[in-house]
PDB file of all heavy atoms in Angstrom:
ATOM      1  N   GLY A  10     151.025 170.722  61.047  1.00 62.00           N
ATOM      2  CA  GLY A  10     151.751 170.878  59.768  1.00 62.00           C
ATOM      3  C   GLY A  10     151.093 171.937  58.882  1.00 62.00           C
ATOM      4  O   GLY A  10     151.797 172.751  58.266  1.00 62.00           O
ATOM      5  N   VAL A  11     149.771 171.913  58.803  1.00 60.00           N
ATOM      6  CA  VAL A  11     149.051 172.913  58.003  1.00 60.00           C
ATOM      7  C   VAL A  11     149.284 174.308  58.563  1.00 60.00           C
ATOM      8  O   VAL A  11     149.572 175.246  57.814  1.00 60.00           O
ATOM      9  CB  VAL A  11     147.536 172.573  57.941  1.00 60.00           C
ATOM     10  CG1 VAL A  11     146.754 173.721  57.357  1.00 60.00           C
ATOM     11  CG2 VAL A  11     147.311 171.295  57.175  1.00 60.00           C
ATOM     12  N   ILE A  12     149.177 174.458  59.867  1.00 68.00           N
ATOM     13  CA  ILE A  12     149.362 175.755  60.509  1.00 68.00           C
ATOM     14  C   ILE A  12     150.804 176.218  60.276  1.00 68.00           C
ATOM     15  O   ILE A  12     151.081 177.396  59.982  1.00 68.00           O
ATOM     16  CB  ILE A  12     149.034 175.688  61.998  1.00 68.00           C
ATOM     17  CG1 ILE A  12     147.512 175.527  62.167  1.00 68.00           C
ATOM     18  CG2 ILE A  12     149.501 176.969  62.721  1.00 68.00           C
ATOM     19  CD1 ILE A  12     147.060 175.259  63.567  1.00 68.00           C
ATOM     20  N   GLY A  13     151.767 175.307  60.388  1.00 62.00           N
ATOM     21  CA  GLY A  13     153.164 175.635  60.157  1.00 62.00           C
ATOM     22  C   GLY A  13     153.403 176.117  58.750  1.00 62.00           C
ATOM     23  O   GLY A  13     154.118 177.095  58.516  1.00 62.00           O
ATOM     24  N   CYS A  14     152.787 175.445  57.767  1.00 63.00           N
ATOM     25  CA  CYS A  14     152.940 175.849  56.357  1.00 63.00           C
ATOM     26  C   CYS A  14     152.325 177.236  56.117  1.00 63.00           C
ATOM     27  O   CYS A  14     152.895 178.056  55.406  1.00 63.00           O
ATOM     28  CB  CYS A  14     152.279 174.815  55.440  1.00 63.00           C
ATOM     29  SG  CYS A  14     153.251 173.289  55.283  1.00 63.00           S
ATOM     30  N   ILE A  15     151.168 177.452  56.731  1.00 71.00           N
ATOM     31  CA  ILE A  15     150.515 178.761  56.591  1.00 71.00           C
ATOM     32  C   ILE A  15     151.390 179.861  57.181  1.00 71.00           C
ATOM     33  O   ILE A  15     151.587 180.916  56.568  1.00 71.00           O
ATOM     34  CB  ILE A  15     149.112 178.755  57.238  1.00 71.00           C
ATOM     35  CG1 ILE A  15     148.173 177.836  56.431  1.00 71.00           C
ATOM     36  CG2 ILE A  15     148.534 180.150  57.349  1.00 71.00           C
ATOM     37  CD1 ILE A  15     146.832 177.574  57.096  1.00 71.00           C
ATOM     38  N   LEU A  16     151.926 179.623  58.368  1.00 62.00           N
ATOM     39  CA  LEU A  16     152.800 180.645  58.989  1.00 62.00           C
ATOM     40  C   LEU A  16     154.040 180.871  58.176  1.00 62.00           C
ATOM     41  O   LEU A  16     154.470 182.031  58.001  1.00 62.00           O
ATOM     42  CB  LEU A  16     153.174 180.205  60.404  1.00 62.00           C
ATOM     43  CG  LEU A  16     152.065 180.288  61.453  1.00 62.00           C
ATOM     44  CD1 LEU A  16     152.531 179.682  62.776  1.00 62.00           C
ATOM     45  CD2 LEU A  16     151.612 181.714  61.664  1.00 62.00           C
ATOM     46  N   LEU A  17     154.631 179.796  57.667  1.00 64.00           N
ATOM     47  CA  LEU A  17     155.811 179.956  56.831  1.00 64.00           C
ATOM     48  C   LEU A  17     155.501 180.769  55.562  1.00 64.00           C
ATOM     49  O   LEU A  17     156.267 181.619  55.175  1.00 64.00           O
ATOM     50  CB  LEU A  17     156.375 178.567  56.442  1.00 64.00           C
ATOM     51  CG  LEU A  17     157.665 178.554  55.663  1.00 64.00           C
ATOM     52  CD1 LEU A  17     158.791 179.224  56.457  1.00 64.00           C
ATOM     53  CD2 LEU A  17     158.066 177.129  55.318  1.00 64.00           C
ATOM     54  N   THR A  18     154.350 180.496  54.960  1.00 66.00           N
ATOM     55  CA  THR A  18     153.953 181.213  53.769  1.00 66.00           C
ATOM     56  C   THR A  18     153.754 182.701  54.077  1.00 66.00           C
ATOM     57  O   THR A  18     154.205 183.590  53.335  1.00 66.00           O
ATOM     58  CB  THR A  18     152.659 180.632  53.185  1.00 66.00           C
ATOM     59  OG1 THR A  18     152.888 179.246  52.897  1.00 66.00           O
ATOM     60  CG2 THR A  18     152.241 181.353  51.934  1.00 66.00           C
ATOM     61  N   ILE A  19     153.142 182.991  55.204  1.00 67.00           N
ATOM     62  CA  ILE A  19     152.895 184.399  55.592  1.00 67.00           C
ATOM     63  C   ILE A  19     154.234 185.091  55.818  1.00 67.00           C
ATOM     64  O   ILE A  19     154.434 186.232  55.377  1.00 67.00           O
ATOM     65  CB  ILE A  19     152.041 184.456  56.888  1.00 67.00           C
ATOM     66  CG1 ILE A  19     150.586 184.036  56.556  1.00 67.00           C
ATOM     67  CG2 ILE A  19     152.044 185.856  57.478  1.00 67.00           C
ATOM     68  CD1 ILE A  19     149.700 183.848  57.757  1.00 67.00           C
ATOM     69  N   ILE A  20     155.173 184.403  56.462  1.00 64.00           N
ATOM     70  CA  ILE A  20     156.473 185.018  56.715  1.00 64.00           C
ATOM     71  C   ILE A  20     157.200 185.284  55.383  1.00 64.00           C
ATOM     72  O   ILE A  20     157.813 186.341  55.208  1.00 64.00           O
ATOM     73  CB  ILE A  20     157.296 184.144  57.650  1.00 64.00           C
ATOM     74  CG1 ILE A  20     156.707 184.161  59.058  1.00 64.00           C
ATOM     75  CG2 ILE A  20     158.764 184.578  57.674  1.00 64.00           C
ATOM     76  CD1 ILE A  20     157.301 183.133  59.992  1.00 64.00           C
ATOM     77  N   MET A  21     157.130 184.328  54.481  1.00 59.00           N
ATOM     78  CA  MET A  21     157.807 184.494  53.189  1.00 59.00           C
ATOM     79  C   MET A  21     157.187 185.633  52.385  1.00 59.00           C
ATOM     80  O   MET A  21     157.909 186.430  51.797  1.00 59.00           O
ATOM     81  CB  MET A  21     157.778 183.168  52.384  1.00 59.00           C
ATOM     82  CG  MET A  21     158.679 182.113  52.999  1.00 59.00           C
ATOM     83  SD  MET A  21     158.549 180.538  52.154  1.00 59.00           S
ATOM     84  CE  MET A  21     159.087 180.948  50.514  1.00 59.00           C
ATOM     85  N   VAL A  22     155.871 185.696  52.372  1.00 53.00           N
ATOM     86  CA  VAL A  22     155.196 186.784  51.652  1.00 53.00           C
ATOM     87  C   VAL A  22     155.533 188.127  52.268  1.00 53.00           C
ATOM     88  O   VAL A  22     155.809 189.105  51.558  1.00 53.00           O
ATOM     89  CB  VAL A  22     153.671 186.548  51.591  1.00 53.00           C
ATOM     90  CG1 VAL A  22     152.938 187.768  51.093  1.00 53.00           C
ATOM     91  CG2 VAL A  22     153.359 185.352  50.740  1.00 53.00           C
ATOM     92  N   ALA A  23     155.579 188.200  53.566  1.00 52.00           N
ATOM     93  CA  ALA A  23     155.935 189.452  54.238  1.00 52.00           C
ATOM     94  C   ALA A  23     157.373 189.849  53.916  1.00 52.00           C
ATOM     95  O   ALA A  23     157.650 191.014  53.695  1.00 52.00           O
ATOM     96  CB  ALA A  23     155.733 189.299  55.740  1.00 52.00           C
ATOM     97  N   GLY A  24     158.251 188.883  53.868  1.00 52.00           N
ATOM     98  CA  GLY A  24     159.635 189.160  53.522  1.00 52.00           C
ATOM     99  C   GLY A  24     159.804 189.633  52.119  1.00 52.00           C
ATOM    100  O   GLY A  24     160.551 190.565  51.815  1.00 52.00           O
TER     101      GLY A  24
END
Side-chain angles (χ1 to χ4, degrees):
V11 169
I12 291 172
C14 286
I15 291 171
L16 287 174
L17 184 60
T18 303
I19 289 171
I20 290 170
M21 289 175 62
V22 169

